[in-house]
């Protein structure tokens, strides 16, 4: 039980990668606090955590764009458990957008993707930092994307830019918080069929496009949410106690093939 007795906050916990992270951390003994904007799906995550033997889980509807709501959720978790050991910033996505030429992208469309993917991670990191500093330890894991290291398969400019920004945020906060025993790392998933948006993208490729994508991956398969969760677990636990400021691609070799 690598995380026995520790409190873990996971944003974007309602489905896919976020849900797999919640279940994986709970199986390793963490008290999981999950949040998302999707209430019914979030309740399914809570039930999945408890069904996996992870003990009681807490879940709340929180929009990570709302700094006050994030701060209140974190304060509640610390008040009830007495500690905050782990933060996983999973909340993100393309906000229902599709590819457009850059000259047709509105300011509002650009900003909402940054608000979800980058501002949300900032709000959550800012909220947990005081508790982690008091404890003299902590682990923060940001979920970026292969889009942040290369380009977006969706063609959405703001998504690739925000995910690249999250990698920069990881490096900067790792440098700042390291003196307090707080490690900050990042996972950059490749294409994962993990939620309704990625399923729509997968089916839109058609059979030929799907095969081209699989053929571009060294391991010749699409990743799963559990693949990502296992990498997150490594960064959350003591096995990575001397690792900070790093981004690991979990994509089956897609980045390598470029």
């Amino acid at each position: 039980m690598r995380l026995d007795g520790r409190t873990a906050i996971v944003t974007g916990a309602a489905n896919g990668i976020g849900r797999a992270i919640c279940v994986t951390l709970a199986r390793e003994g963490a008290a999981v606090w999950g949040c998302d904007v999707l209430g019914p799906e979030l309740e399914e995550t809570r039930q999945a955590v408890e069904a996996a033997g992870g003990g009681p889980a807490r879940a709340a509807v929180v929009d990570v764009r709302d700094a006050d709501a994030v701060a209140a959720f974190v304060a509640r978790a610390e008040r009830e458990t007495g500690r905050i050991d782990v933060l996983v910033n999973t909340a993100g996505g393309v906000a229902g957008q599709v590819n457009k030429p850059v000259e047709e992208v509105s300011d509002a469309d650009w900003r909402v993707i940054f608000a979800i993917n980058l501002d949300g991670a900032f709000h959550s990191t800012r909220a947990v930092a005081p508790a982690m500093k008091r404890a003299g330890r902590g682990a923060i894991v940001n979920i970026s994307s292969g889009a942040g290291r290369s380009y977006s398969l969706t063609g959405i400019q703001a998504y690739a830019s925000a995910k690249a920004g999250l990698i920069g945020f990881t490096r900067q906060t790792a440098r700042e918080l390291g003196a307090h025993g707080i490690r900050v790392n990042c996972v950059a998933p490749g294409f994962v069929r993990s939620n309704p948006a990625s399923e729509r993208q997968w089916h839109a490729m058609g059979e030929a496009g799907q095969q081209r994508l699989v053929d571009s991956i060294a391991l010749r398969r699409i990743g799963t949410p559990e693949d990502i969760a296992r990498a997150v677990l490594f960064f959350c636990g003591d096995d990575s106690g001397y690792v900070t400021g790093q981004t690991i691609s979990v994509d089956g070799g897609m980045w390598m093939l470029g």
Side-chain angles (χ1 to χ4, degrees):
M1 302 286 279
R2 284 173 276 185
L3 301 177
D4 193 30
R6 302 183 193 182
T7 298
I9 292 176
V10 181
T11 72
N15 52 37
I17 292 172
R19 179 176 296 172
I21 291 169
C22 288
V23 170
T24 298
L25 300 187
R27 283 176 175 159
E28 292 293 333
V32 173
W33 289 64
C35 68
D36 206 300
V37 294
L38 303 173
E41 293 89 341
L42 188 60
E43 173 60 20
E44 292 174 6
T45 294
R46 188 192 66 77
Q47 293 175 9
V49 168
E50 296 185 356
R58 300 289 186 272
V61 174
V62 176
D63 188 337
V64 295
R65 295 174 295 178
D66 184 338
D68 291 339
V70 170
F73 180 62
V74 170
R76 178 187 164 203
E78 185 185 10
R79 185 170 60 251
E80 294 191 18
T81 68
R83 56 194 297 168
I84 302 292
D85 302 279
V86 171
L87 167 67
V88 185
N89 285 310
T90 317
V94 299
Q97 295 183 32
V98 297
N99 178 34
K100 295 180 183 177
V102 67
E103 66 270 23
E104 297 179 12
V105 177
S106 70
D107 288 353
D109 284 347
W110 177 270
R111 288 171 181 155
V112 71
I113 288 180
F114 267 78
I116 298 168
N117 290 276
L118 192 52
D119 293 1
F122 164 64
H123 294 154
S124 299
T125 300
R126 180 175 62 183
V128 304
M132 289 185 176
K133 285 182 177 181
R134 287 192 293 270
R137 64 175 294 164
I140 299 172
V141 184
N142 297 315
I143 306 300
S144 179
S145 168
R149 307 195 80 172
S150 179
Y151 60 88
S152 174
L153 294 176
T154 67
I156 297 174
Q157 304 86 350
Y159 182 74
S161 302
K163 290 302 191 182
L166 193 54
I167 293 172
F169 182 66
T170 297
R171 290 193 296 263
Q172 188 63 43
T173 50
R175 177 65 179 171
E176 174 186 343
L177 298 174
H180 303 278
I182 303 167
R183 297 177 297 104
V184 189
N185 290 290
C186 186
V187 174
F191 184 80
V192 177
R193 296 174 65 183
S194 60
N195 54 37
S198 60
E199 283 298 306
R200 287 193 296 271
Q201 185 182 356
W202 173 254
H203 291 297
M205 293 178 190
E207 187 173 339
Q210 293 167 4
Q211 190 59 54
R212 282 194 300 272
L213 177 60
V214 172
D215 288 344
S216 74
I217 299 170
L219 294 179
R220 296 299 193 272
R221 71 172 178 87
I222 299 297
T224 68
E226 290 72 25
D227 289 324
I228 312 307
R230 284 188 284 270
V232 170
L233 174 62
F234 168 70
F235 280 142
C236 291
D238 295 339
D239 288 343
S240 60
Y242 198 54
V243 181
T244 195
Q246 302 305 305
T247 297
I248 183 171
S249 292
V250 183
D251 59 9
M254 191 173 183
W255 167 257
M256 177 180 66
L257 295 177

